[in-house]
Amino acid sequence: MDSTAQLLVDALAPYEVDLGLARPDGGRVITLRNEAGEVVVERLVRQIELNDRTLLTDVVDGLRRDLLVRGARIDPMVAAAALDRTRVRSFAAL
């Protein structure tokens, strides 16, 4: 297992993480499965996100948010508003 895959496994426990095969553009599909083996989240991740620690952290945060929304532990509108607020701050800091 490469270091990126291991980081994802560690960060997204207890979900089973499958980092699919590389696509022609270098991106990969991350699949998270629950204890029953059911797919709970799938996301296409670009190669640059997999190779940059900061971008990979953003991917993990997004996957965690998706898990919260899917589990009805957070309203999708609240998650979207929080994401937009973060984006505005990052542009303001430039």
Side-chain angles (χ1 to χ4, degrees):
M1 180 179 303
D2 67 16
S3 63
T4 300
Q6 188 58 52
L7 286 170
L8 290 168
V9 167
D10 293 344
L12 297 167
Y15 295 94
E16 177 187 330
V17 178
D18 178 30
L19 187 57
L21 298 175
R23 299 163 35 107
D25 63 1
R28 298 169 99 169
V29 175
I30 296 176
T31 304
L32 301 181
R33 289 184 172 80
N34 62 17
E35 292 175 355
E38 302 165 329
V39 173
V40 291
V41 175
E42 282 187 312
R43 177 178 290 177
L44 176 61
V45 181
R46 298 174 300 152
Q47 181 179 16
I48 192 169
E49 293 172 310
L50 294 169
N51 294 330
D52 182 292
R53 194 79 147 195
T54 302
L55 295 176
L56 188 59
T57 299
D58 292 343
V59 168
V60 169
D61 289 345
L63 288 166
R64 287 178 177 158
R65 183 192 64 241
D66 291 350
L67 289 166
L68 289 172
V69 169
R70 183 166 172 92
R73 289 184 261 167
I74 187 172
D75 183 273
M77 295 302 289
V78 172
L83 182 61
D84 286 341
R85 197 170 346 148
T86 302
R87 286 185 182 150
V88 170
R89 264 193 239 130
S90 65
F91 288 121
L94 296 176

